[in-house]
Amino acid sequence: MADIAAIAARLDTAASEARAIPQITGEAGDLSLADAYEIQRAAIDRRLARGATLVGVKMGFTSEAKMAQMGLKDQIWGRLTSDMVVTNGAAIDRTRFIHPRVEPEVAVRLKAPLAGEVTREEALAAIDAVAAALEIIDSRYENFRFALGDVVADNASSSAFVTGPWLAADTDIADVAMVMRVDGEVAETGTSAAILGDPIRSLLAAARLAGAAGLVLQPGWTVMLGGATAAAAIGDARSVSLDAGHLGRVGFTIAGGAA
Ligand code: OOG
Ligand code: MG
């Protein structure tokens, strides 16, 4: 049995101090997926105890590009908290991150609860608005390397996210061309269709996976549906932007740290 509370504390400290730690798997043998999600919950509970609130969930490994980049094939999910929210166009503080990467995503905002096995119609009816988004992931593990249990325990590497303008729920998100730029240079291009062939499938998976853990997706929550392309290292870049066609633009700048 893994020491859930101790590992959660270690991951939480690594995140708040922006200091990488060794992987959990290997050292303590294999970590079961159930234990990994328990660690995730316990680590996020520590944030909530400091005053953050749950604002949604994120999906991971919902595109071939992301699976190939990280060498993992299982869809995972993580919790989004209020301290991860970045306003579109705002600056993030580089010193808060270890080795951040950024990836283009689509997000939905919910207007009704969603949990468990839901139909596509039920999922669509629960959407309040849709947006293009950027996720900043920052694995708490050295060299951004992990096995499945590690990354699940580490809340699917989530560290910050930015959503673009919220658009009407019936806005087409099925096949939106995306161009992500880092310091003005094209870093990744792709389409939202790369997200499970249709991003709505990722919302169904979020309801199912979170539901299995006893979590009901709540009205007002944001669901990040997963990276459409591989993630790009932020390094010492100073700006990131995403052009997502009719979904508009989203971006942020980077302040602080060694430039
Ligand atoms: C894990 C998080 C994956 C996505 O969109 O696929 C993810 C990672 O790549 O570190 O957020
Ligand atoms: Mg992501």
Side-chain angles (χ1 to χ4, degrees), residues 102-236:
V102 60
E103 51 197 20
E105 304 211 4
V106 174
V108 299
R109 191 176 66 203
L110 300 179
K111 63 180 175 194
L114 212 51
E117 299 284 347
V118 298
T119 65
R120 189 187 165 82
E121 288 63 39
E122 287 166 333
L124 288 173
I127 296 176
D128 186 32
V130 303
L134 287 166
E135 183 181 25
I136 302 165
I137 51 174
D138 193 30
S139 175
R140 265 56 67 169
Y141 302 112
E142 289 160 357
N143 305 314
F144 224 110
R145 289 191 50 190
F146 44 71
L148 186 64
D150 297 306
V151 65
V152 164
D154 186 28
N155 198 31
S157 306
S158 70
S159 69
F161 66 99
V162 196
T163 46
W166 287 108
L167 305 171
D170 62 356
T171 307
D172 188 19
I173 56 170
D175 186 11
V176 181
M178 302 187 133
V179 181
M180 183 171 75
R181 290 184 174 81
V182 176
D183 273 350
E185 302 282 337
V186 173
E188 292 286 342
T189 60
T191 161
S192 63
I195 303 167
L196 293 176
D198 175 357
I200 294 300
R201 291 203 186 119
S202 183
L203 179 57
L204 297 186
R208 177 166 44 80
L209 295 174
L215 194 67
V216 177
L217 308 185
Q218 297 294 328
W221 277 16
T222 297
V223 182
M224 294 284 287
L225 300 176
T229 71
I234 290 180
D236 54 11

Side-chain angles (χ1 to χ4, degrees), residues 11-36:
L11 279 163
D12 181 50
T13 302
S16 48
E17 294 180 357
R19 218 190 306 264
I21 58 171
Q23 287 176 229
I24 303 161
T25 60
E27 162 208 311
D30 263 0
L31 192 60
S32 75
L33 208 51
D35 279 355

Side-chain angles (χ1 to χ4, degrees), residues 12-127:
D12 181 50
T13 302
S16 48
E17 294 180 357
R19 218 190 306 264
I21 58 171
Q23 287 176 229
I24 303 161
T25 60
E27 162 208 311
D30 263 0
L31 192 60
S32 75
L33 208 51
D35 279 355
Y37 275 109
E38 274 303 297
I39 294 166
Q40 178 190 125
R41 191 190 47 72
I44 295 300
D45 278 351
R46 296 171 63 96
R47 277 178 188 247
L48 302 182
R50 291 195 294 270
T53 54
L54 273 186
V55 299
V57 298
K58 62 160 283 181
M59 290 297 295
F61 305 136
T62 51
S63 69
E64 292 292 337
K66 283 290 307 180
M67 294 180 218
Q69 182 177 34
M70 304 317 296
L72 293 170
K73 286 188 184 325
D74 300 82
Q75 280 152 45
I76 61 173
W77 67 281
R79 291 153 162 96
L80 299 175
T81 54
S82 50
D83 50 351
M84 298 177 189
V85 176
V86 176
T87 305
N88 192 10
I92 60 166
D93 177 1
R94 181 64 179 77
T95 63
R96 273 183 51 203
F97 302 87
I98 304 165
H99 38 205
R101 297 178 178 179
V102 60
E103 51 197 20
E105 304 211 4
V106 174
V108 299
R109 191 176 66 203
L110 300 179
K111 63 180 175 194
L114 212 51
E117 299 284 347
V118 298
T119 65
R120 189 187 165 82
E121 288 63 39
E122 287 166 333
L124 288 173
I127 296 176

